[in-house]
Amino acid sequence: MEFTWRDRSLFVLLATGSLIVMTGAVIAPILPEIIAQLHLDRTLAGYLVSTHYLTVALFSPILGLLADRFGQVKVLVISLVFYALFGMAGGLMNGFIPLLITRGLVGAASGGIAAASLGLLVKRYESAEARALAIAYVSSVLAIANIIYPISAGLLGLLGWRVAFWLYGLAIPFALLVIFVFEQPEKLTTSAQSLSSMGGDSQELKKVISNPLTWQLFLTLAFTAATAYGVVINLPIHLKATINSGTAINGIALASQAIGSALVSAFGVRKLARRLGLVPATALGFGIVALVLVAIPQFDRLYLFLSATILLGVGFGIVMPNIYTLLSNLTSLELQSTILAAGTGTNFLGQFFAPALFGFLLGDRPLYQVFYIAAIVPLLLGSLLMFTAKINVSKR
């Protein structure tokens, strides 16, 4: 019975967590229609796609702290309701500023979903191995959602760009599912108990935050996310210049990366981590990413590019869940939401600054060189993780 219960709750949490991807996936396919019908400046319109990255980054740690204080289920249900309301409200807007505000608000609600669902997920599994598997499932679902939600938004957009915003309404039945599955309410604490626990939690939180490895993992998440997002931005441009690809081919190439990530997250991450260890497995993932980035400029055939993007997805699919697992292992169950939400925040912050970072790295250089430059980032991140692990071992 316990296994069946957890299986059901796992499904619900994975479904709600997938909405994090929907936040940007809905608006990206319909952005040209929005620009045309609302007569928006193209440069400013780009912020409609990226603004939620910033608000997710800002609100994830705050809402994660609230989830640990007052209960993950409460924060998750409230965030889902506001996500639906703010998301669907975007389809009613007729100007840039009102639409931008709704984008920021839905990003904030998305931060609450990320914090509460991930924290609730890992707290339901006591062993580190079980938590690692659950996080790997999350990575797989997010990768698959990166395929499903943009396609769904594009199809609904054929009926009109405002119709695509109805997808955000999925958060309402998901909220009802959360209430139904987690039907036993979280116990309310008295004021004295709350103050007492807050003192212990604060000390534990200070201990985790003062750990240099925590900050290293946060920065690793940020730069990994920036690299992944930089590939999403620059790969279609490179394909267009190299093989004169159209939007369909570009979409297939990006989808193949998500497929590679989903497959390895579901079936390969735990085996690699068990055989090699978390840090060496993560370093291996970084090595795969760097190798593929160096190889991409050498290719001039579609099948080679598709092979590369699948392998690139495999690399990122190894790295991301392992980093979250390393973060999870640094803290007690009581602070899982707080720390993992902070990790999610740095992840989205990296994506937010990715265009500026890659614009700075690229400068006046030919586009293909950005892949060589980007390959340095995972090499450095993997090497630093291995170096830190060796130092920690030598201190024992």
Side-chain angles (χ1 to χ4, degrees), residues 276-322:
L276 302 178
L278 275 174
V279 172
T282 307
L284 174 63
F286 277 128
I288 293 173
V289 171
L291 181 64
V292 174
L293 289 175
V294 170
I296 284 176
Q298 319 303 323
F299 298 151
D300 59 359
R301 294 288 186 275
L302 178 60
Y303 72 91
L304 293 174
F305 282 119
L306 292 179
S307 300
T309 52
I310 291 173
L311 194 57
L312 191 65
V314 168
F316 283 123
I318 294 172
V319 167
M320 296 302 283
N322 279 343

Side-chain angles (χ1 to χ4, degrees), residues 218-267:
F218 284 160
L219 289 174
T220 301
L221 272 174
F223 280 103
T224 303
T227 303
Y229 195 67
V231 171
V232 171
I233 295 171
N234 291 288
L235 182 60
I237 303 173
H238 180 68
L239 289 175
K240 176 67 176 179
T242 306
I243 60 174
N244 194 29
S245 62
T247 56
I249 295 299
N250 292 338
I252 291 172
L254 295 176
S256 64
Q257 179 181 332
I259 291 171
S261 179
L263 289 175
V264 75
S265 294
F267 304 111

Side-chain angles (χ1 to χ4, degrees), residues 82-98:
F82 280 119
Y83 181 92
L85 295 177
F86 294 142
M88 290 189 294
L92 305 176
M93 300 298 114
N94 292 310
F96 173 73
I97 296 299

